[in-house]
């Protein structure tokens, strides 16, 4: 039986994780968050004091890493980790390293019905032949408010205006980077996630039902 692959692309704080979790639980698919791998890599680089401008240092460290966990952790959910993850994501060799880990995980788990995978280049670069591609759109101001609430609820001090500024800068970086820029993947369905989650769910249900 062919594995189902659903990709969820979109900018930072657009709700990709929440949507992916919903799809994963509703249709019994395995959720993979590619952002976790970049964040885990960022944590390693911070701990080992890797110079993020030194490509040789980064490459050397990557050669020492055999695998990274997709497991979620509060340790990697903060603004500093997000900043470092964004900085290292511009390197093509880092993206190739992360992409290989994702392919390896999917290939290794052939017994799983399917995967819902979210990120910023999943449908456009990593899994171009996915059965369903979704692209999530949300206004920067709404994304900043949601991220602010998320950080406050987790006990981290935060300032809304700074988050909004960071999100806008991240958007520019993601959309203009040379390697795997953030784009609407070919054949993707654009989902508006500005409103209620119920409205978002209504938009995606028919698309998923058609492939299962």
């Amino acid at each position: 039986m062919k594995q189902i692959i659903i990709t969820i692309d979109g900018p930072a704080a657009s709700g990709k994780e929440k949507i992916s979790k919903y799809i994963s639980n509703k249709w019994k698919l395995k959720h993979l968050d590619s952002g976790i791998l970049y964040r885990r890599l960022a944590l390693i680089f911070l701990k080992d004091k890797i110079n993020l401008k030194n490509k040789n240092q980064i490459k050397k460290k990557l050669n020492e890493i055999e695998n990274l966990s997709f497991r979620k952790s509060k340790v990697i959910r903060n603004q500093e980790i997000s900043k470092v993850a964004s900085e290292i994501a511009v390197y093509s060799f880092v993206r190739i390293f992360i992409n290989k880990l994702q392919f390896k995980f999917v290939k290794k788990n052939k017994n799983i019905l399917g995967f819902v995978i979210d990120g910023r280049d999943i449908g456009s670069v990593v899994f171009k032949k996915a059965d369903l591609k979704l692209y999530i759109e949300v206004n920067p101001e709404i994304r900043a408010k949601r991220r602010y609430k998320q950080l406050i609820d987790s006990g981290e001090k935060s300032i809304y205006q700074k988050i909004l500024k960071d999100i806008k800068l991240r958007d520019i970086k993601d959309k203009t980077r040379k390697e795997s820029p953030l784009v609407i993947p070919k054949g993707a369905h654009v989902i508006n996630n500005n409103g209620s989650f119920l409205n978002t769910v209504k938009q995606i249900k028919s698309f998923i039902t058609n492939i299962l």
Side-chain angles (χ1 to χ4, degrees):
M1 185 177 175
K2 182 182 178 292
Q3 275 187 332
I4 298 296
I5 301 289
I6 297 175
T7 60
I8 313 285
D9 286 287
S14 57
K16 298 185 298 293
E17 182 182 9
K18 186 175 181 179
I19 291 168
S20 296
K21 279 183 177 179
Y22 170 80
I23 294 172
S24 171
N25 293 329
K26 177 77 174 175
W27 286 279
K28 311 302 178 188
L29 302 176
K30 176 73 175 175
H31 173 216
L32 299 183
D33 180 352
S34 65
I36 285 178
L37 300 186
Y38 285 99
R39 286 172 176 272
R40 287 204 173 276
L41 209 52
L43 181 62
I44 291 171
F45 289 171
L46 280 173
K47 282 185 175 179
D48 293 352
K49 297 179 180 178
I50 301 296
N51 182 350
L52 302 181
K53 303 296 182 184
N54 190 321
K55 292 182 181 180
N56 289 329
Q57 267 193 41
I58 296 174
K59 286 178 180 178
K60 185 180 178 182
K61 177 51 66 175
L62 289 180
N63 287 333
E64 297 172 6
I65 301 170
E66 288 187 13
N67 211 346
L68 292 170
S69 172
F70 278 99
R71 185 171 53 83
K72 295 172 177 59
S73 171
K74 285 185 178 180
V75 177
I76 57 174
R77 287 290 175 184
N78 60 59
Q79 291 298 95
E80 185 181 19
I81 292 291
S82 294
K83 185 174 180 295
V84 173
S86 178
E87 287 183 45
I88 62 177
V90 301
Y91 294 122
S92 60
F93 56 88
V94 171
R95 303 196 74 83
I96 289 169
F97 174 80
I98 296 295
N99 291 349
K100 282 182 178 178
L101 291 182
Q102 293 179 86
F103 274 121
K104 181 181 173 183
F105 189 89
V106 170
K107 192 175 181 180
K108 185 181 177 182
N109 293 276
K110 290 183 178 179
N111 59 316
I112 293 176
L113 172 64
F115 295 86
V116 52
I117 310 165
D118 68 80
R120 289 179 182 79
D121 64 349
I122 302 302
S124 58
V125 176
V126 190
F127 292 96
K128 288 183 178 181
K129 295 181 179 179
D131 299 279
L132 176 65
K133 300 177 184 181
L134 301 178
Y135 183 87
I136 314 304
E137 278 192 342
V138 188
N139 295 336
E141 292 76 15
I142 293 176
R143 284 187 275 143
K145 286 178 183 177
R146 290 173 180 172
R147 176 60 60 85
Y148 173 77
K149 185 179 184 304
Q150 185 183 50
L151 291 171
I152 292 297
D153 289 347
S154 66
E156 186 176 342
K157 291 182 179 179
S158 192
I159 301 170
Y160 168 76
Q161 289 299 336
K162 184 179 184 305
I163 293 174
L164 179 59
K165 182 182 177 182
D166 288 345
I167 279 178
K168 287 182 176 180
L169 286 173
R170 182 70 182 268
D171 284 352
I172 293 170
K173 277 186 180 180
D174 286 341
K175 291 178 180 179
T176 60
R177 67 174 175 238
K178 193 174 181 180
E179 299 294 334
S180 303
L182 173 66
V183 296
I184 299 176
K186 186 178 179 180
H189 300 281
V190 178
I191 304 298
N192 184 314
N193 191 31
N194 283 309
S196 68
F197 188 66
L198 182 62
N199 183 54
T200 299
V201 166
K202 285 180 181 178
Q203 293 177 70
I204 65 176
K205 268 187 175 180
S206 61
F207 297 130
I208 297 176
T209 304
N210 287 337
I211 66 165
L212 293 176

